[in-house]
């Protein structure tokens, strides 16, 4: 394969390693969602976060970068009622919707939640280990040139982020847990998944057609 062909294949990849920086960001997402519900203007929200240091970050640069990322992820929902859920509803419901937003925006997170976690629930297999995550990345590396080009340190960081997502959203109880917890999909999110044509994401939330 020529260098040009390889570059084209890498550039056309649906996968992005930015998850190492953006992560789950529940507190930031909830804060940003509340401001979006109030004002509706992306730039006003970002400016307010920076001016008042609402994330309590050490620099305006990091505030702007993360706030813009949160706005993009919230807008990916395409539904202000779901943004309001993140801003106002109990943590367990809001975190489920945050996970949905992340799956909408990040193909790697979506594929992981469906092909690893969703498949575990479908087959009634509640075991979970590093081997499951390693196997997921081996498959991606075999299928996608961009993922294959990522360094070991990048993949290690992404694996850590994915596990933290599972911990924050109640799929795992603690850091060394080796069993998936039962997950109950909230009806608000279930309705949104079906109305938005995202029924294929249901298995990630232990729900099946």
């Amino acid at each position: 394969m020529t260098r040009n062909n390889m570059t084209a294949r890498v550039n056309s990849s649906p996968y992005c390693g930015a998850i190492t920086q953006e992560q789950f960001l529940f507190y930031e997402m909830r804060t940003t969602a509340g401001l979006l519900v109030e004002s509706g203007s992306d730039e006003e929200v970002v400016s307010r976060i920076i001016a008042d240091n609402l994330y309590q970050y050490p620099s305006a640069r990091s505030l702007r970068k993360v706030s813009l990322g949160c706005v993009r992820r919230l807008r990916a929902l395409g539904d202000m009622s779901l943004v309001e859920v993140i801003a106002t509803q109990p943590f367990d419901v809001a975190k489920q919707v945050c996970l949905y937003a992340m799956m909408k925006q990040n193909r790697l997170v979506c594929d992981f939640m469906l092909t690893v976690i969703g498949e575990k629930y479908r087959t009634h297999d509640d075991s979970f280990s590093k081997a499951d995550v390693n196997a997921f990345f081996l498959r991606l590396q075999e299928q996608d040139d961009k993922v294959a080009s990522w360094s070991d340190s990048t993949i290690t960081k992404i694996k850590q982020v994915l596990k933290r997502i599972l911990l924050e959203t109640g799929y795992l109880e603690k850091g060394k847990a080796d069993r998936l917890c039962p997950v109950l999909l909230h009806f608000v999110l279930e309705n949104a998944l079906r109305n938005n044509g995202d029924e294929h994401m249901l298995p990630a939330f232990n729900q099946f057609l």
Side-chain angles (χ1 to χ4, degrees):
M1 182 182 295
T2 66
R3 171 176 283 186
N4 287 341
N5 287 339
M6 176 65 76
T7 300
R9 289 183 61 174
V10 169
N11 291 339
S12 65
S13 170
Y15 299 106
C16 174
I19 184 178
T20 57
Q21 298 174 347
E22 296 177 355
Q23 308 198 28
F24 191 59
L25 301 172
F26 177 68
Y27 169 76
E28 293 86 345
M29 287 283 286
R30 194 168 174 89
T31 301
T32 308
L35 294 175
L36 279 178
V37 170
E38 287 178 11
S39 75
S41 166
D42 295 359
E43 193 52 48
E44 285 178 10
V45 166
V46 172
S47 297
R48 169 88 178 275
I49 291 169
I50 295 172
D52 297 340
N53 193 8
L54 295 181
Y55 296 165
Q56 296 297 297
Y57 280 11
S59 71
R61 180 180 179 182
S62 59
L63 282 165
R64 182 168 184 81
K65 183 176 182 178
V66 174
S67 60
L68 286 169
C70 287
V71 168
R72 285 193 296 269
R73 194 181 299 175
L74 289 164
R75 291 302 188 194
L77 288 167
D79 185 341
M80 281 304 295
S81 67
L82 290 180
V83 175
E84 188 168 357
V85 167
I86 293 175
T88 63
Q89 292 300 304
F91 282 8
D92 58 338
V93 182
K95 285 183 177 183
Q96 274 197 353
V97 179
C98 280
L99 177 55
Y100 172 49
M102 201 169 193
M103 290 173 66
K104 292 274 284 184
Q105 188 193 42
N106 191 298
R107 173 69 177 274
L108 189 148
V109 175
C110 187
D111 284 2
F112 173 76
M113 292 303 302
L114 290 175
T115 65
V116 178
I117 305 304
E119 185 63 14
K120 290 279 186 181
Y121 286 130
R122 188 187 69 79
T123 58
H124 306 288
D125 176 9
D126 67 352
S127 67
F128 181 78
S129 69
K130 289 182 179 179
D132 295 310
V133 184
N134 291 340
F136 170 72
F137 275 96
L138 283 174
R139 289 195 301 271
L140 284 190
Q141 288 174 314
E142 291 172 354
Q143 299 166 6
D144 189 280
D145 292 328
K146 183 174 183 179
V147 178
S149 73
W150 290 346
S151 67
D152 290 342
S153 62
T154 294
I155 290 178
T156 296
K157 289 177 183 177
I158 295 174
K159 289 176 180 178
Q160 292 169 347
V161 172
L162 291 173
K163 188 170 184 180
R164 282 198 294 270
I165 291 171
L166 296 178
L167 288 166
E168 287 199 55
T169 51
Y171 287 80
L172 295 175
E173 284 188 350
K174 55 186 177 180
K176 294 184 179 180
D178 59 1
R179 296 288 170 186
L180 291 172
C181 299
V183 171
L184 180 63
L185 177 61
H186 194 275
F187 72 90
V188 170
L189 181 53
E190 180 177 356
N191 290 340
L193 286 166
R194 296 186 186 278
N195 292 337
N196 294 339
D198 287 329
E199 296 96 332
H200 67 285
M201 294 187 183
L202 287 169
F205 301 94
N206 195 21
Q207 185 76 26
F208 301 89
L209 295 173

